[in-house]
Amino acid sequence: MRTIPKLLLLFFLTQMSVNSLRAQDLAKVPKPEYLEEARKIAHTFFENFRNKKHKENADFIVDNLGKTWDESKKISQRNDYLAKFEIISLKPPKGVYGDLDGFDLIEQGFLKGSDRYFRHTFIGYHEGSVLIYEFRFYVNSKGKVTLHYIGWSDKNPFEYMSTPDMLLPKYDN
């Protein structure tokens, strides 16, 4: 009979530990200064885009994403980003998008329980159409906000914002 109370006590203590860890971990959100730094990074990207400083944007992306890449991959990726930015900037009717004349933050997503990885989604207003830009940020062990991913989509913004990965943070409570 003595083993039952010990097992109950062990179960009770384990549940308390698990529940306190869940409460602590799931309540984490990125610090306001991390979110602000991420907004500044995105703002710089868009200002560079607006001013046709595509090389600066390509260099910034490769410097952030390519820390483990060899030099040939860095050159290849830099050229790839540069070419894509130049294609996006082609004015209609030669291109679809053209000059960037504004942007808005339309979503800020967090991974439940993480205060060091988050996403900002922007809509970019180009003269010919809109693009959705997604930035994912990682806060390294030194507290520096770094770009971890960048992508863009020509999907209808309402469709893009209704995809499961965009909805998950809204309904994952």
Side-chain angles (χ1 to χ4, degrees), residues 108-170:
Q108 187 169 254
F110 310 120
L111 289 174
K112 195 170 189 178
S114 174
D115 60 352
R116 294 177 51 192
Y117 196 82
F118 54 95
R119 166 182 68 206
H120 286 175
T121 307
F122 290 84
I123 187 167
Y125 306 105
H126 294 265
E127 66 182 303
S129 190
V130 297
L131 279 175
I132 301 296
Y133 292 87
E134 185 175 324
F135 296 78
R136 296 182 200 152
F137 299 97
Y138 170 63
V139 181
N140 68 21
S141 60
K142 296 177 182 171
K144 181 176 177 6
V145 177
T146 61
L147 183 66
H148 193 252
Y149 168 86
I150 186 171
W152 49 90
S153 173
D154 60 356
K155 264 184 145 176
N156 174 310
F158 292 104
E159 290 173 14
Y160 186 87
M161 298 307 291
S162 66
T163 59
D165 70 311
M166 297 304 284
L167 292 173
L168 182 64
K170 293 174 180 19

Side-chain angles (χ1 to χ4, degrees), residues 26-164:
L26 298 182
K28 286 183 175 180
V29 294
K31 295 178 182 177
E33 57 265 28
Y34 295 161
L35 299 174
E36 183 57 32
E37 184 60 29
R39 277 190 215 99
K40 288 178 184 174
I41 289 169
H43 187 269
T44 299
F45 172 86
F46 287 120
E47 285 304 313
N48 283 345
F49 208 105
R50 186 184 317 226
N51 294 314
K52 305 231 186 301
K53 294 181 179 179
H54 301 313
K55 184 178 182 320
E56 285 86 341
N57 277 347
D59 287 342
F60 176 76
I61 292 168
V62 168
D63 289 345
N64 276 259
L65 304 183
K67 289 180 176 47
T68 61
W69 299 344
D70 63 28
E71 282 306 308
S72 64
K73 183 168 182 172
K74 286 181 180 182
I75 292 168
S76 171
Q77 290 297 309
R78 185 175 288 114
N79 290 337
D80 188 46
Y81 280 115
L82 186 57
K84 288 175 180 174
F85 296 151
E86 289 173 352
I87 289 170
I88 291 170
S89 291
L90 285 174
K91 292 177 169 278
K94 291 182 180 180
V96 175
Y97 303 100
D99 291 340
L100 177 71
D101 61 19
F103 59 93
D104 288 318
L105 176 66
I106 58 173
E107 190 268 348
Q108 187 169 254
F110 310 120
L111 289 174
K112 195 170 189 178
S114 174
D115 60 352
R116 294 177 51 192
Y117 196 82
F118 54 95
R119 166 182 68 206
H120 286 175
T121 307
F122 290 84
I123 187 167
Y125 306 105
H126 294 265
E127 66 182 303
S129 190
V130 297
L131 279 175
I132 301 296
Y133 292 87
E134 185 175 324
F135 296 78
R136 296 182 200 152
F137 299 97
Y138 170 63
V139 181
N140 68 21
S141 60
K142 296 177 182 171
K144 181 176 177 6
V145 177
T146 61
L147 183 66
H148 193 252
Y149 168 86
I150 186 171
W152 49 90
S153 173
D154 60 356
K155 264 184 145 176
N156 174 310
F158 292 104
E159 290 173 14
Y160 186 87
M161 298 307 291
S162 66
T163 59

